[in-house]
Amino acid sequence: MSYSYCDNQRDYGPNPYVTNIEQTAIQNQNFRTAVWTGCHLQMMVMCIPPCGEVGYEIHEDTDQLIRVEQGTAVVKIGKCVNQSDFQQNICKGEAVFIPAGTWHNIVNIGRNALKVSSVYAPPHHPRGTVHRTKADAERENQVQMNKY
């Protein structure tokens, strides 16, 4: 088993792996980094700048858990894009469970970077995903959409 703090941005899945998720998330400087990708589950960490956001997204076949490791955010969830039926502030140590097929957004409402860990079941991003910025993530998403 390994024990690491996201020191080299390596996706350790699907091998057994032990890490301190809070420290891994806090040390992550990328918008999105895959920590572990297995066949049925994926762990990512994210860094969202002050006043930044993930942006509304939906995962039709993937449940998601997002846990705040540092900072304060507002989570917005709804059945339609940009229409939040559920909205709540969350802070360090709190998590939100997001059912598949639900539009959601996480907005950093703090003065410092928001650090979160995110679990997808099943995996949502390609193994080894690293998006240094939100723009990188959006470009890759557009490329994936153009394939279909």
Side-chain angles (χ1 to χ4, degrees), residues 52-66:
E53 63 183 316
V54 172
Y56 275 95
E57 58 184 10
I58 189 170
H59 312 301
E60 292 294 343
D61 63 349
T62 304
D63 290 324
Q64 187 175 9
L65 174 139
I66 298 175

Side-chain angles (χ1 to χ4, degrees), residues 25-103:
I26 289 170
Q27 291 183 1
N28 174 55
Q29 297 299 313
N30 296 313
F31 178 72
R32 180 181 289 125
T33 302
V35 175
W36 193 90
T37 303
C39 294
H40 305 285
L41 183 115
Q42 181 175 52
M43 167 63 73
M44 308 287 283
V45 290
M46 297 184 74
C47 177
I48 302 165
C51 300
E53 63 183 316
V54 172
Y56 275 95
E57 58 184 10
I58 189 170
H59 312 301
E60 292 294 343
D61 63 349
T62 304
D63 290 324
Q64 187 175 9
L65 174 139
I66 298 175
R67 183 177 189 273
V68 174
E69 306 297 348
Q70 178 179 288
T72 306
V74 62
V75 60
K76 300 176 181 184
I77 302 173
K79 292 291 182 189
C80 300
V81 68
N82 294 325
Q83 184 178 353
S84 303
D85 302 324
F86 176 89
Q87 183 170 315
Q88 185 169 328
N89 290 0
I90 56 175
C91 59
K92 180 180 176 175
E94 295 180 325
V96 57
F97 294 86
I98 303 167
T102 307
W103 285 97

Side-chain angles (χ1 to χ4, degrees), residues 95-113:
V96 57
F97 294 86
I98 303 167
T102 307
W103 285 97
H104 57 281
N105 191 10
I106 303 293
V107 181
N108 183 350
I109 58 174
R111 295 184 198 189
N112 299 310

